[in-house]
């Protein structure tokens, strides 16, 4: 017969140790949401983290452009070279080497008119990023709405939206941008009136949005077509769920990844498109600093002052590369199976 003490010795410590081990094992298992897993994968990607820091730095510079200009003591629209003797030569080029770089003008002077290059650059960043962000948001919202509608409803609605998408994607976008921006200006302002500055801003946003949503819509239409026949969608229909509930509760959680990736990759394209309009002379007016206008001026004076073209060129190159790398990293974080 086993004594109580031996029974306690055999069962008590062993049982307690087993329970403690089970508790400790359970404590080490932590559930993570898809968003937490994505963030964890993204943090491990050094290239993506560096690209995110660079992009955030550009956005902060754009937001703080007035503060930087105030602290620096210059503004982008004053003609310092024309108002202060000894800065430009008789041909309108900076007298000092390297584009007139000095302690007073850190990035030099704009040839012919003598505006400060640094403030022109930071305000140009602000202009390009602002337009690109607005167009990205608008084109994404329109593309998501029409793409999901086309894919889920089908039938004549799908056919009509599909033909519109095909038509827009067949346009030579850069050529139509050049043509449509003045047309939109003329449609919104009487011929006898001088177009205000804000109108050109609105015109560029409208044209870029109209020509930009089709790519997102086509992508999401294909995604919805593949999802709407899946079992969980059929189950939702059988239980009597409304189309709105199916779209927002069943489809949208599976579409956030392509939506975010597409928006991230589209923004630098809109920055380049806006700069292209400025370079071709149909972008923002001269009173508004713009990367494209700086490229236009630089292309005319590079033979005598290549430094002026260097700063906007390097800035745009760094921004576009950083944003593209950020988009690739976000795609890999959301979908590790598609990793390069």
């Amino acid at each position: 017969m086993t004594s109580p003490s031996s029974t306690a010795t055999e069962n008590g410590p062993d049982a307690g140790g087993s329970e403690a081990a089970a508790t400790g094992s359970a404590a080490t298992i932590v559930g993570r949401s898809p968003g937490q897993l994505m963030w964890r994968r993204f943090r491990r990607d050094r290239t993506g983290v560096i690209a995110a820091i660079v992009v955030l730095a550009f956005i902060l510079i754009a937001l703080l452009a007035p503060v930087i200009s105030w602290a620096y003591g210059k503004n982008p629209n004053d003609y310092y070279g024309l108002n202060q003797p000894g800065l430009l030569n008789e041909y309108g080029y900076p007298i000092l080497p390297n584009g007139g770089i000095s302690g007073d003008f850190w990035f030099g002077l704009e040839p012919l008119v003598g505006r400060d290059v640094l403030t022109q650059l930071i305000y140009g960043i602000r202009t390009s990023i602002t337009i690109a962000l607005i167009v990205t948001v608008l084109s994404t919202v329109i593309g998501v709405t029409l793409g999901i509608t086309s894919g889920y409803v089908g039938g004549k609605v799908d056919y009509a939206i599909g033909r519109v998408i095909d038509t827009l994607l067949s346009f030579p976008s850069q050529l139509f941008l050049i043509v449509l921006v003045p047309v939109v200006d003329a449609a919104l302002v009487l011929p006898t009136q001088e177009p205000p500055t804000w109108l050109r801003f609105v015109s560029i946003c409208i044209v870029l949005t109209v020509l930009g949503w089709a790519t997102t819509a086509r992508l999401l239409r294909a995604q919805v077509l593949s999802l709407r026949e899946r079992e969980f969608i059929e189950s939702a229909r059988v239980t009597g769920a409304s189309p709105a509930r199916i779209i927002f509760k069943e489809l949208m959680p599976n579409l956030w990844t392509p939506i975010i990736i597409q928006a991230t990759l589209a923004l630098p394209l809109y920055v380049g498109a806006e700069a292209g309009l400025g370079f071709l002379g149909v972008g923002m007016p001269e009173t508004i600093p713009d990367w494209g206008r700086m490229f236009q001026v630089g292309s005319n004076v590079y033979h005598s002052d290549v430094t002026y073209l260097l700063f906007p060129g390097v800035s745009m190159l760094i921004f576009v590369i950083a944003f593209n790398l950020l988009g690739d990293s976000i795609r890999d974080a959301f979908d590790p199976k598609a990793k390069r």
Side-chain angles (χ1 to χ4, degrees):
M1 182 175 179
T2 305
S3 65
S5 60
S6 62
T7 303
T9 303
E10 290 175 3
N11 297 335
D14 291 342
S18 300
E19 292 177 0
T23 303
S25 176
T28 59
I29 300 175
V30 179
R32 292 186 176 89
S33 66
Q36 290 173 327
L37 293 173
M38 186 278 293
W39 175 243
R40 186 180 182 185
R41 286 191 291 265
F42 179 77
R43 285 186 303 171
R44 292 177 176 176
D45 189 346
R46 293 183 179 179
T47 301
V49 172
I50 294 173
I53 293 172
V54 173
V55 169
L56 287 175
F58 273 89
I59 294 175
L60 284 175
I61 290 173
L63 292 174
L64 298 176
V67 178
I68 296 173
S69 177
W70 170 79
Y72 177 53
K74 304 289 190 302
N75 68 74
N77 292 320
D78 279 1
Y79 299 113
Y80 298 101
L82 298 179
N83 298 330
Q84 300 178 22
L87 296 177
L88 301 179
N89 60 23
E90 58 183 355
Y91 301 105
Y93 292 100
I95 294 176
L96 295 177
N98 300 319
I101 294 177
S102 64
D104 294 327
F105 302 96
W106 295 356
F107 283 14
L109 295 165
E110 180 182 350
L112 306 180
V113 294
R115 286 181 288 203
D116 179 70
V117 175
L118 176 58
T119 52
Q120 284 272 315
L121 183 63
I122 61 176
Y123 273 90
I125 293 172
R126 191 182 195 188
T127 302
S128 297
I129 291 180
T130 301
I131 291 176
L133 282 173
I134 292 174
V135 174
T136 300
V137 171
L138 292 177
S139 61
T140 300
V141 171
I142 296 173
V144 168
T145 303
L146 294 181
I148 293 177
T149 302
S150 177
Y152 185 77
V153 176
K156 294 182 179 179
V157 174
D158 182 28
Y159 180 82
I161 296 177
R163 300 295 74 76
V164 173
I165 292 174
D166 292 339
T167 303
L168 289 175
L169 292 178
S170 67
F171 284 167
S173 58
Q174 199 65 37
L175 179 60
F176 272 83
L177 285 172
I178 300 170
V179 173
L180 289 178
V181 169
V183 171
V184 174
D185 284 353
L188 297 177
V189 175
L190 295 175
T192 56
Q193 295 179 347
E194 184 70 21
T197 301
W198 63 265
L199 179 61
R200 180 55 59 89
F201 183 92
V202 173
S203 300
I204 293 174
C205 290
I206 290 174
V207 173
L208 287 176
T209 301
V210 169
L211 296 178
W213 64 265
T215 303
T216 302
R218 168 170 282 186
L219 174 65
L220 291 182
R221 174 185 176 273
Q223 294 283 334
V224 173
L225 286 174
S226 65
L227 288 172
R228 72 178 185 179
E229 305 301 332
R230 300 282 292 274
E231 292 81 0
F232 66 95
I233 300 294
E234 292 294 336
S235 300
R237 288 198 189 102
V238 170
T239 57
S242 65
R245 179 177 177 82
I246 293 174
I247 290 173
F248 288 103
K249 296 295 184 180
E250 305 294 341
L251 287 177
M252 285 302 294
N254 295 280
L255 297 175
W256 280 119
T257 297
I259 290 172
I260 294 174
I261 293 172
Q262 183 66 24
T264 306
L265 296 176
L267 192 142
L269 296 179
Y270 292 130
V271 170
E274 189 277 332
L277 290 175
F279 179 81
L280 295 171
V282 292
M284 296 300 294
E286 187 177 357
T287 55
I288 304 299
D290 182 74
W291 268 347
R293 193 194 60 78
M294 294 183 75
F295 283 123
Q296 182 188 48
V297 174
S299 67
N300 294 326
V301 302
Y302 73 92
H303 54 280
S304 300
D305 184 10
V306 71
T307 307
Y308 180 78
L309 187 60
L310 178 65
F311 291 112
V314 171
S315 299
M316 177 167 284
L317 181 66
I318 292 174
F319 178 79
V320 172
I321 290 177
F323 225 112
N324 284 328
L325 291 175
L326 177 61
D328 290 341
S329 298
I330 292 175
R331 180 195 62 196
D332 295 340
F334 272 108
D335 188 6
K337 293 182 180 180
K339 194 173 180 63
R340 299 182 298 277

